[in-house]
Every structure is written in structure tokens, then in C-alpha cells.
Amino acid sequence: ILMVDEKGKNMKCLTFFLMLPETVKNRSKKSSKKGNSSSSSSSKLPPVCYEIITLKTKKKKKMAADLFPRKKSANTNTTAVQQYHQQNLNNNNTIPAPNWQGLYPTIRERNAVMFNNDLMADVHFVVGPPGGTQRLPGHKYVLAVGSSVFHAMFYGELAEDKDEIRIPDVEPAAFLAMLKYIYCDEIDLAADTVLATLYAAKKYIVPHLARACVNFLETSLSAKNACVLLSQSCLFEEPDLTQRCWEVIDAQAELALKSEGFCDIDFQTLESILRRETLNAKEIVVFEAALNWAEVECQRQELTVTIENKRKVLGKALYLIRIPTMALDDFANGAAQSGILTLNETNDIFLWYTAAKKPELQFVSKPRKGLVPQRCHRFQSCAYRSNQWRYRGRCDSIQFAVDKRVFIAGFGLYGSSCGSAEYSAKIELKRQGVILGQNLSKYFSDGSSNTFPVWFEYPVQIEPDTFYTASVILDGNELSYFGQEGMTEVQCGKVTVQFQCSSDSTNGTGVQGGQIPELIFYA
């Protein structure tokens, strides 16, 4: 008998001869035939031990997860676990091997084997809309432990004893993702199913999974999907996600309005965007986006795409577009010739631009406030010398990182130290060598030590805790001002910006001195 302690270490090794009762009887009979008394033979037989003694230690008992952590599992067991998980995910339900429980040291892993498994299933779900359903097995006890809705469904006062439950409003992939969380304590989200998974988590009150879905959406938020996520966040009553969506839409309004996702929003979300005071976009872009939405909405309502029907689906939302605030050229060449306006509306707006006595308009005539850009200045002083700062097609570059999501709109650059001059500037923003934004433009410097803004075509979204590279190649007057006494960290409002030298810089710019004194951003 090998006696071990709780850690599996050998304590003592004892050897016994153990005889079963039947063996004792047989030996007794043989002994009596040979003339030996039964009493004397029985007294010489070894005793039968039925008691199992457990050695105790002074240390606190540990759970199976402590004794057998997942990272120390044998390769064969790990492979078996992965195979079962893959089979269950694919709904390839096979009966586990005999003594499959021995492969999994923790209750969590043993529960995970039951995920999407017909073994011991006492309920089935038919999930998905008609024509796209999938039949999934479930175990009432596990589901009730993971969701109060399932608990009420199976064990509540009004519980119904049904073997099959139909769920037409949830996608099968989303329902499987929720089941995987309940059974396996694992969160497996994908960009194309995360919204449907959030819906399932909200419906069945699985708050931690819902929070994980919201976090996933926030990290993947961009101008391409911000409008759709805004619509969904209002539907799911997620104010934090709603606020993040507005931040992206405000700062990158033109990109958001031109995205395909904008045409997929509902009418209520359209109105809220058109009303937005801080929308950072030209009004002609807002007008064109509204017409694109109207065209898709006609198709959704199975209406012929005509000017009349476009105006019909827009309704009063048309007057939320601030057409009188457009540049005259944009109105004359765009809105006035679109056909969406009546003749009287077109005439009145032309009079609004030109007449001293302006007519009353149904359209909002006050320009949007937009966003006020912030400037992060990284130098404490600037200077100029007769032999600096020269530009001969070489790159000035600096790396930076922020602690909150911001949107870089452009850079502030120094100008000539020898009177007024014009510069051609190629600005660029990269992350790990990938170009996120670039622009070629000109700016005029007046000979002062002020900084002069150079803008990207669209603001570039910057994620926190990641270093980005800001670069500029200047062509113009060779001598200019340059910064000195640079700071490695700058607090700008609620945003902290860190700077470090860039290997792309070939013209002398670094943390302590050089060009690119300012980052211009929205936050």
C-alpha cells in the first residue's frame, strides 16, 4: 500500500497480505480435511482490513483547480480537451470516451464537455429565424446557474416542462457564444456576431457577457461602424457606448457620414445625427449623406427610388440639414440642383445668401459649432541660429503615445526665421510602419516664432497606450525656428501625451529639440 500526502508525495510504503473472505473459507475447508482444527487454522489467518485511513496534514485543503492547474496539464489531456471543445462548437456531438471525467481535473472543465453536447441533455433549443434554424442541446441545471431567465424558465413558479424551446429572434452563432460562456466560462466574440451576442446576453440577463460585448465594441469602434453602433447602443441602453460613438462621429464626421453603415441606421438615429451641434463636417457632406440614406430607405420600404419618395422618407428631417450655412458654391452646384428642394425653397435660400432683407426659412440657418481642436505643445522654448534649421528633403519625425482615445487633425510647425516664406509640407502619421494618414499641403509663415497648422484630410483615430510616429518633410526657406527644452510628457487637458525619439528622423528632430512642436487633436 502506497500512502501519500495531499500533494501526492510518498509518505510511507507498507506491504500487507490481504485475503478476501471467500479465500479464507476455502483455506479453512482444506485445513479441516488435513486434520487441522478449524479454530487453530482460523487464528493463524491474516485479518481482513476494510478500513481506509487518510493521512492528514496541517495545511489547508486545496481545490482540484489548485492541485491540477490547466497550464500543467499533460499534453494528451490538453489535446483531448481541445478536441471535445471543437467537436461541441461544430455541433458534432459524440459520446465521450469511457471515464472521460478523468481527463478533466476541475468542475469547470467537466461542465465544458457538456457544452453543445447531447449527452444528458434535458432540453433542446431551436434557434434562429425560419429557414435558418439550428437545434442546440442544453442542460437545465447549468443554464439556470448561469442565467436568471433560464432559472425562471425551468424552475420558476410558471415554469413549463417543455423538451423543445423555439427562439426565433436570436442568431444561432450568438446563442452558441452565450452558451459557451455559461458552460465554459469563456468569452469568444467575433466582429460579425458581437451585436447579436450582446442582444442574447441582454435578453437572458447575462451581465458579464454583455459587458464584454460592449468592451469589444468600444475597442473596435471606428468611423466605419460608429453610426450603426450608435443606433444599437441606444436600443440596448448602453450610455457609455453611446458616448464613445458620439466622440467618433463628432471628430470624424465626414468619414462616418460617407460610410456604408450610415445608410443602415434607423430614422430616429438619423434625426439625432442631423441635429448634432458638434458635428465636425461640411454641410454639403451632411446633405449628400442624407440623400444616400433616403435612397436606401426607399428600397427598404419597397418604394420606387424617386426624388418625391426620397423627400417623403426624409420627412421633417430634411429641415435639420443646415443648407443656408453651406458655401454658396456648394449650394449652387449641389443642393440647388439635386431636385430635393422645391422651387420656392431654392429661391428663398438664394435670397438668404444675397439679399439684405433675408426671408424666413424652415431650415436651420445657424452654423454648427463643430469641435474646438486642442494643441499639445511639447517645447518650452524655441530659437533660431544662422546654421539651423535646414530642410533638404530630409524627414523630421517624433513618436508619441496618449492615455485616451484622440483624433489627430494635424501638426503645428515652425516657419521661417528670415522673414515671411511659404513652405510645402508632406505630413504623415504611422503606426508600426503602417500609414494611417498623410497629406501634402502648403502653409505661409510670417517670420514669427509662432506655429502654423497643417491639416490631414480627415482626423486620424489614435488608440491609447500605443506609440505612433508623426513625420514631416518640408521644402522651403532653409532657415527656420526650432524647438528646444523638449518634454517627454505633456498634460493637455484630460489627455497625457508621451514623446520619444523616432528612428525615422533624419533631420535632427528628437524629444529635446527640432520640428513638429505641436500635435493638433480632438478629444
Side-chain angles (χ1 to χ4, degrees):
I1 298 175
L2 181 63
M3 307 179 77
V4 299
D5 66 359
E6 292 178 349
K7 290 185 177 180
K9 294 182 178 179
N10 295 347
M11 294 286 290
K12 204 168 187 179
C13 185
L14 303 176
T15 304
F16 292 95
F17 292 99
L18 183 63
M19 298 187 69
L20 297 175
E22 288 296 326
T23 308
V24 175
K25 290 179 182 179
N26 293 338
R27 178 179 285 192
S28 299
K29 290 179 182 179
K30 291 179 181 178
S31 300
S32 60
K33 289 180 181 180
K34 292 181 181 180
N36 297 333
S37 63
S38 61
S39 59
S40 61
S41 0
S42 299
S43 62
K44 295 178 181 180
L45 291 175
V48 179
C49 179
Y50 293 98
E51 184 178 4
I52 299 175
I53 301 173
T54 304
L55 295 178
K56 297 182 179 179
T57 62
K58 294 182 179 180
K59 293 184 178 180
K60 186 179 178 181
K61 290 184 179 180
K62 296 184 178 180
M63 302 299 290
D66 299 319
L67 292 173
F68 305 101
R70 290 180 62 88
K71 63 181 180 180
K72 295 182 180 179
S73 299
N75 292 336
T76 55
N77 288 359
T78 302
T79 304
V81 171
Q82 292 174 346
Q83 287 175 349
Y84 279 126
H85 281 190
Q86 188 60 40
Q87 288 174 353
N88 294 349
L89 191 62
N90 296 335
N91 203 20
N92 183 18
N93 300 315
T94 57
I95 299 175
N99 192 30
W100 59 269
Q101 294 88 342
L103 295 173
Y104 310 94
T106 66
I107 186 64
R108 184 182 71 85
E109 291 175 304
R110 292 192 288 276
N111 265 347
V113 177
M114 296 295 99
F115 163 58
N116 198 19
N117 198 326
D118 274 313
L119 182 66
M120 295 186 285
D122 51 2
V123 66
H124 284 79
F125 301 94
V126 179
V127 186
T133 59
Q134 188 173 348
R135 193 170 187 268
L136 304 174
H139 306 80
K140 293 181 179 179
Y141 166 74
V142 179
L143 295 170
V145 169
S147 162
S148 58
V149 174
F150 283 129
H151 181 273
M153 186 184 298
F154 300 134
Y155 301 106
E157 295 180 358
L158 301 178
E160 297 182 9
D161 189 15
K162 291 183 178 180
D163 294 332
E164 190 172 273
I165 299 173
R166 295 187 175 274
I167 308 177
D169 59 330
V170 178
E171 295 179 11
F175 197 78
L176 270 173
M178 182 181 68
L179 291 185
K180 187 172 185 180
Y181 170 75
I182 293 175
Y183 278 81
C184 311
D185 200 24
E186 295 179 11
I187 297 175
D188 187 9
L189 301 174
D192 55 344
T193 58
V194 63
L195 281 173
T197 304
L198 176 59
Y199 174 77
K202 287 280 189 177
K203 177 176 180 178
Y204 291 98
I205 312 180
V206 187
H208 296 291
L209 178 60
R211 184 68 252 170
C213 291
V214 172
N215 290 339
F216 183 94
L217 291 171
E218 287 181 356
T219 56
S220 61
L221 187 60
S222 68
K224 293 181 180 180
N225 59 16
C227 294
V228 173
L229 293 184
L230 174 67
S231 177
Q232 296 297 322
S233 66
C234 295
L235 176 65
F236 294 134
E237 298 180 350
E238 289 289 344
D240 291 342
L241 180 58
T242 301
Q243 178 60 30
R244 299 291 181 275
C245 291
W246 278 126
E247 290 173 2
V248 174
I249 293 171
D250 282 343
Q252 296 181 301
E254 294 193 1
L255 286 175
L257 293 172
K258 291 178 180 179
S259 68
E260 293 181 5
F262 178 79
C263 295
D264 296 329
I265 62 177
D266 57 272
F267 182 76
Q268 185 177 357
T269 305
L270 173 72
E271 283 188 310
S272 64
I273 292 176
L274 295 182
R275 283 196 182 95
R276 191 74 174 170
E277 191 69 29
T278 50
L279 210 59
N280 197 34
K282 296 178 181 178
E283 207 62 33
I284 186 62
V285 176
V286 179
F287 177 80
E288 291 171 351
L291 292 189
N292 291 335
W293 179 90
E295 181 176 343
V296 176
E297 182 65 16
C298 286
Q299 296 171 359
R300 279 193 289 263
Q301 296 187 19
E302 298 182 351
L303 298 173
T304 305
V305 180
T306 62
I307 296 297
E308 292 75 16
N309 285 336
K310 284 184 181 181
R311 177 150 184 151
K312 177 182 178 181
V313 297
L314 280 172
K316 293 183 179 180
L318 176 65
Y319 298 110
L320 298 175
I321 305 172
R322 307 186 183 194
I323 295 178
T325 67
M326 291 181 186
L328 180 57
D329 288 346
D330 289 340
F331 173 73
N333 298 318
Q337 298 186 42
S338 66
I340 203 74
L341 303 176
T342 64
L343 184 59
N344 288 337
E345 288 170 343
T346 303
N347 290 336
D348 286 345
I349 294 173
F350 266 120
L351 288 174
W352 174 270
Y353 282 110
T354 56
K357 184 178 179 181
K358 301 184 182 300
E360 291 186 5
L361 300 175
Q362 287 184 278
F363 295 93
V364 179
S365 57
K366 184 180 178 182
R368 302 179 195 270
K369 293 180 180 179
L371 293 177
V372 178
Q374 300 183 45
R375 293 174 179 250
C376 175
H377 196 91
R378 66 188 188 94
F379 295 124
Q380 299 181 67
S381 64
C382 68
Y384 70 91
R385 299 192 185 111
S386 60
N387 60 342
Q388 293 181 349
W389 198 264
R390 296 181 180 275
Y391 305 104
R392 295 174 182 174
R394 290 176 294 196
C395 179
D396 288 289
S397 182
I398 191 72
Q399 287 192 332
F400 69 94
V402 294
D403 64 342
K404 289 182 175 62
R405 174 183 284 162
V406 300
F407 303 87
I408 296 293
F411 304 146
L413 303 176
Y414 286 122
S416 171
S417 59
C418 303
S420 59
E422 186 179 61
Y423 286 89
S424 173
K426 180 184 179 181
I427 60 173
E428 194 173 76
L429 194 58
K430 295 189 294 185
R431 176 182 178 179
Q432 297 177 349
V434 179
I435 297 176
L436 304 178
Q438 62 181 0
N439 198 20
L440 179 62
S441 61
K442 294 183 179 181
Y443 70 95
F444 181 82
S445 67
D446 57 7
S448 69
S449 60
N450 296 331
T451 59
F452 302 93
V454 179
W455 307 94
F456 289 104
E457 184 178 4
Y458 302 109
V460 181
Q461 182 171 311
I462 302 297
E463 297 299 332
D465 305 321
T466 301
F467 273 95
Y468 293 77
T469 303
S471 303
V472 60
I473 298 176
L474 289 173
D475 183 20
N477 195 321
E478 287 194 345
L479 298 179
S480 77
Y481 288 92
F482 60 92
Q484 57 186 11
E485 298 181 279
M487 296 173 284
T488 58
E489 184 173 298
V490 179
Q491 187 69 33
C492 189
K494 296 181 179 180
V495 180
T496 302
V497 187
Q498 293 180 323
F499 294 96
Q500 68 180 24
C501 293
S502 168
S503 59
D504 292 348
S505 187
T506 58
N507 199 41
T509 290
V511 173
Q512 296 302 318
Q515 261 285 8
I516 318 181
E518 284 182 341
L519 299 178
I520 306 173
F521 65 93
Y522 301 114

